[in-house]
């Protein structure tokens, strides 16, 4: 009995200590990442400010090449000429970013930009600097995004959702910001850059188009709805990333019986943020009013026979290759929880989406200007 108790106590103690060590390692990695990013930001500032002291046109590559040689000799191979160029670009991208108060050891007032120094004490300087939350590899992707609002959105989402570098690269490549923005009304889209993707109502999870390039299906080759479904199941992790926040996969070809007949929902998910079921039906052809009516029946069944009292109404999404917005609007009531979204088997044309979004913002700003 004593041996069993000792073993149990040892196991419990091990679990607690192991969790503490893992947590500490996470904090150490995070601290190292922040320190690296902060250092590269400051290196970029030093280079940028040094350039401003002379004629920009005469500031040749040789200065940075010589600097790279000396830094590499002293600190290792992380300070190539290309790295110094990226540091300067990083500073230029984030010099006007949202800033927060930070207390750091006093390193010498001459080493801090005057505009960022709030006050000085005997031992510390309270300064205002951008808040960095991701790794340098993440910022190498983010700094290439010219649109400030889009860059802010991706940074917030990557932080909140703990995206890997690969996941961030995929979301930027799939134009997630533009697709979400074009799926929202003009007031809500302004929140994207400040808050990321807020999930508060059914329409918040909708994006057009849904990009499924990771499935590996060729757009020009015919395929069945069953093949599309199988491809999604095989790539469920990527599909959940594309769907967005809060999605949990429950079942495929979920069967229910009504009026002595069997019906099958292609994919059933649950969204923990909205606290509701999300039903997805796949359509490889043109969307019809019969498809919309069938989804309405699925949603009604789940609302009346499956969902519990504390849960929100069920959402139905028809994922289709082609759709007519006019047909959808005519078929469905205005307050419906059913949505039709087109999917694409290749990454969208980023230039086209940016152009549409620019038109959208220009129209919004014009209306806002008139109202004011």
């Amino acid at each position: 009995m004593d041996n069993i108790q000792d073993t149990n106590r040892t196991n419990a103690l091990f679990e607690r200590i192991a969790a503490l060590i893992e947590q500490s390692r996470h904090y150490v990695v995070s601290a190292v990442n922040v320190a690296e990013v902060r250092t590269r930001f400051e290196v970029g500032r030093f280079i940028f400010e040094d350039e401003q002291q002379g004629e920009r046109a005469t500031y040749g590559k040789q200065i940075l090449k010589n600097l790279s040689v000396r830094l590499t000799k002293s600190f290792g191979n992380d300070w190539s000429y290309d790295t110094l160029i990226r540091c300067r670009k990083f500073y230029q991208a984030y010099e006007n970013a949202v800033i927060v108060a930070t207390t750091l050891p006093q390193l010498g007032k001459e080493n801090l930009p005057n505009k960022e120094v709030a006050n000085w004490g005997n031992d510390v300087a309270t300064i205002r600097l951008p808040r960095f939350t991701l790794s340098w590899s993440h910022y190498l992707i983010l700094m290439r995004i010219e649109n400030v609002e889009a860059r802010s959105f991706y940074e917030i989402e990557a932080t909140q959702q703990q995206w890997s570098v690969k996941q961030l690269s995929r979301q930027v490549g799939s134009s997630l910001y533009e697709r979400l923005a074009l799926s929202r009304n003009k007031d809500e889209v302004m929140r994207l850059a400040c808050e990321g993707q807020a999930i508060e109502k059914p329409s918040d999870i909708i994006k057009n188009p849904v990009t499924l390039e990771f499935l590996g299906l060729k757009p020009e080759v015919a395929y069945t709805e069953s093949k599309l479904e199988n491809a999604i199941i095989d790539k469920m992790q990527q599909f959940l990333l594309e769907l967005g926040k809060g999605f949990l996969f429950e079942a495929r070809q979920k069967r229910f019986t009504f009026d002595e007949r069997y019906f099958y929902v292609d994919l059933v998910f649950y969204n923990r943020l909205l606290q509701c079921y999300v039903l997805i039906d796949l359509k490889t052809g043109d969307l019809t009013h019969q498809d919309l009516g069938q989804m309405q029946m699925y949603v009604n069944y789940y609302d009346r026979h499956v969902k519990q009292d504390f849960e929100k109404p069920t959402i139905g999404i028809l994922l289709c290759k082609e759709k007519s917005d006019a047909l959808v609007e005519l078929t469905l009531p205005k307050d419906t929880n059913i949505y039709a979204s087109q999917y694409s088997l290749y990454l969208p044309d980023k230039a086209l989406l940016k152009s549409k979004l620019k038109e959208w913002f220009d129209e919004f700003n014009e209306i806002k200007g008139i109202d004011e």
Side-chain angles (χ1 to χ4, degrees):
M1 180 65 70
D2 290 340
N3 289 337
I4 295 176
Q5 290 179 342
D6 288 347
T7 300
N8 291 338
R9 290 179 62 184
T10 302
N11 290 340
L13 188 58
F14 171 81
E15 293 297 332
R16 293 176 65 188
I17 293 176
L20 177 63
I21 293 173
E22 289 294 336
Q23 187 180 44
S24 298
R25 286 179 175 177
H26 173 74
Y27 287 150
V28 168
V29 171
S30 298
V32 170
N33 284 338
V34 170
E36 180 186 20
V37 173
R38 170 65 61 199
T39 298
R40 293 179 189 257
F41 177 81
E42 290 300 310
V43 168
R45 178 173 68 82
F46 290 171
I47 293 172
F48 179 79
E49 291 179 349
D50 186 64
E51 287 179 349
Q52 306 311 303
Q53 294 178 8
E55 292 293 331
R56 179 67 180 86
T58 62
Y59 196 92
K61 294 182 180 180
Q62 198 57 46
I63 293 177
L64 291 185
K65 288 183 177 180
N66 293 340
L67 178 61
S68 171
V69 170
R70 294 191 62 180
L71 289 173
T72 299
K73 184 177 180 180
S74 298
F75 301 105
N77 295 325
D78 289 339
W79 298 102
S80 68
Y81 170 78
D82 289 339
T83 296
L84 297 180
I85 292 294
R86 294 189 188 103
C87 290
R88 181 181 64 194
K89 183 176 181 180
F90 180 47
Y91 172 75
Q92 290 177 286
Y94 278 88
E95 62 174 323
N96 295 318
V98 176
I99 53 180
V100 294
T102 308
T103 302
L104 297 176
Q106 185 173 348
L107 301 177
K109 192 171 184 178
E110 68 279 2
N111 288 326
L112 292 172
N114 290 331
K115 66 179 181 179
E116 293 174 346
V117 177
N119 59 74
W120 283 81
N122 294 328
D123 300 317
V124 297
T126 302
I127 61 175
R128 294 172 64 82
L129 293 168
R131 181 195 299 274
F132 297 120
T133 56
L134 300 167
S135 72
W136 174 242
S137 297
H138 285 87
Y139 284 106
L140 287 175
I141 297 172
L142 291 169
M143 74 173 76
R144 296 198 295 265
I145 302 173
E146 295 182 2
N147 183 294
V148 176
E149 290 80 13
R151 188 194 308 142
S152 174
F153 165 79
Y154 286 117
E155 186 175 7
I156 292 170
E157 287 296 303
T159 301
Q160 293 180 350
Q161 303 304 307
Q162 298 183 345
W163 286 345
S164 66
V165 174
K166 183 178 180 180
Q167 289 172 330
L168 172 61
S169 179
R170 189 267 167 185
Q171 297 291 44
V172 173
S174 72
S175 303
L176 176 63
Y177 172 75
E178 288 82 3
R179 290 186 292 133
L180 285 173
L182 291 170
S183 301
R184 279 152 175 70
N185 65 44
K186 292 178 172 59
D187 293 321
E188 292 176 344
V189 74
M190 295 304 176
R191 298 176 58 187
L192 287 175
C194 299
E195 303 175 18
Q197 184 185 9
I199 305 295
E200 298 172 348
K201 57 186 183 302
S203 60
D204 289 335
I205 65 175
I206 303 301
K207 58 176 73 74
N208 273 305
V210 174
T211 303
L212 305 178
E213 90 293 344
F214 53 84
L215 297 182
L217 298 175
K218 297 181 179 180
E220 66 275 9
V221 177
Y223 54 90
T224 63
E225 291 171 2
S226 177
K227 186 173 182 179
L228 176 62
E229 180 183 319
N230 287 332
I232 289 174
I233 295 298
D234 289 341
K235 301 287 186 179
M236 182 54 69
Q237 184 176 359
Q238 292 94 321
F239 188 64
L240 287 171
L241 178 66
E242 172 63 13
L243 287 180
K245 295 180 180 178
F247 277 93
L248 306 172
F249 176 59
E250 179 173 299
R252 65 182 297 190
Q253 291 299 311
K254 181 73 172 183
R255 188 182 78 174
F256 66 87
T257 305
F258 180 74
D259 199 21
E260 300 182 354
R261 295 176 60 192
Y262 292 132
F263 298 92
Y264 298 86
V265 184
D266 288 341
L267 300 169
V268 178
F269 295 86
Y270 192 85
N271 190 285
R272 61 182 180 81
L273 300 179
L274 293 176
Q275 290 190 304
C276 69
Y277 285 100
V278 180
L279 313 181
I280 295 182
D281 237 14
L282 306 172
K283 302 298 175 184
T284 56
D286 293 344
L287 187 67
T288 67
H289 68 277
Q290 291 94 336
D291 296 328
L292 294 165
Q294 178 177 266
M295 178 56 78
Q296 182 71 71
M297 186 265 288
Y298 292 169
V299 167
N300 289 345
Y301 179 86
Y302 262 74
D303 279 345
R304 297 171 189 176
H305 301 286
V306 179
K307 96 173 181 66
Q308 300 185 53
D309 292 340
F310 69 88
E311 293 174 322
K312 304 293 176 55
T314 304
I315 300 170
I317 300 176
L318 290 127
L319 208 53
C320 51
K321 193 171 184 179
E322 300 288 343
K323 67 164 183 164
S324 165
D325 290 333
L327 175 66
V328 174
E329 185 177 351
L330 182 63
T331 304
L332 297 175
K334 291 184 177 180
D335 59 348
T336 186
N337 250 8
I338 296 174
Y339 302 87
S341 291
Q342 286 184 242
Y343 67 84
S344 172
L345 296 178
Y346 50 85
L347 293 176
D349 186 329
K350 188 177 286 288
L352 178 60
L353 287 179
K354 286 183 176 180
S355 175
K356 288 183 178 180
L357 192 58
K358 183 179 183 304
E359 293 177 6
W360 187 98
F361 272 112
D362 289 344
E363 179 185 349
F364 176 81
N365 291 333
E366 183 178 349
I367 294 173
K368 184 178 179 181
I370 293 174
D371 290 341
E372 290 177 349

